[in-house]
Amino acid sequence: MILNNRTVKLLVDGDTTHFNIESSNFSGNVLKARYLAINTPESTGKIEEWGKKASRFTKEKLSTATSIILESETDRWNYDGNGRYLVW
């Protein structure tokens, strides 16, 4: 499943971002995304070494993107059990 041209609602940390989605499939039209194959140190609550730097890197990449495409690994949006969906 693919969603094109999403906008960032909230950058949580280096591996989690909330996106505005025009879909009734997501609560409040927000997709809370956890990036597959990316695991950054914590930068909210517990602050780990390099966590803030990882968050800044992700924020820079998303804020300068001309297009954001979210893709699930299967034909469904896979939930991680922590309130987020796993995306590429």
Side-chain angles (χ1 to χ4, degrees):
M1 236 178 184
I2 299 174
L3 293 173
N4 292 305
N5 296 321
R6 303 300 96 206
T7 59
V8 173
K9 177 178 178 70
L10 174 68
L11 178 77
V12 177
D13 60 20
D15 54 23
T16 304
T17 305
H18 297 178
F19 293 94
N20 293 311
I21 302 291
E22 293 179 19
S23 171
S24 61
N25 294 333
F26 302 101
S27 176
N29 293 332
V30 174
L31 184 147
K32 296 176 181 180
R34 169 68 165 86
Y35 304 120
L36 288 163
I38 298 175
N39 187 17
T40 63
E42 295 301 317
S43 64
T44 60
K46 178 182 177 185
I47 307 297
E48 297 176 341
E49 186 176 6
W50 301 104
K52 292 291 185 183
K53 187 168 182 123
S55 288
R56 285 192 301 272
F57 177 85
T58 301
K59 183 177 183 178
E60 177 188 329
K61 295 302 177 191
L62 290 173
S63 66
T64 60
T66 56
S67 179
I68 299 171
I69 300 171
L70 303 177
E71 183 175 350
S72 71
E73 198 162 47
T74 65
D75 62 348
R76 302 184 62 160
W77 294 103
N78 298 313
Y79 190 67
D80 77 349
N82 291 316
R84 304 170 298 186
Y85 290 89
L86 301 171
V87 302
W88 291 108

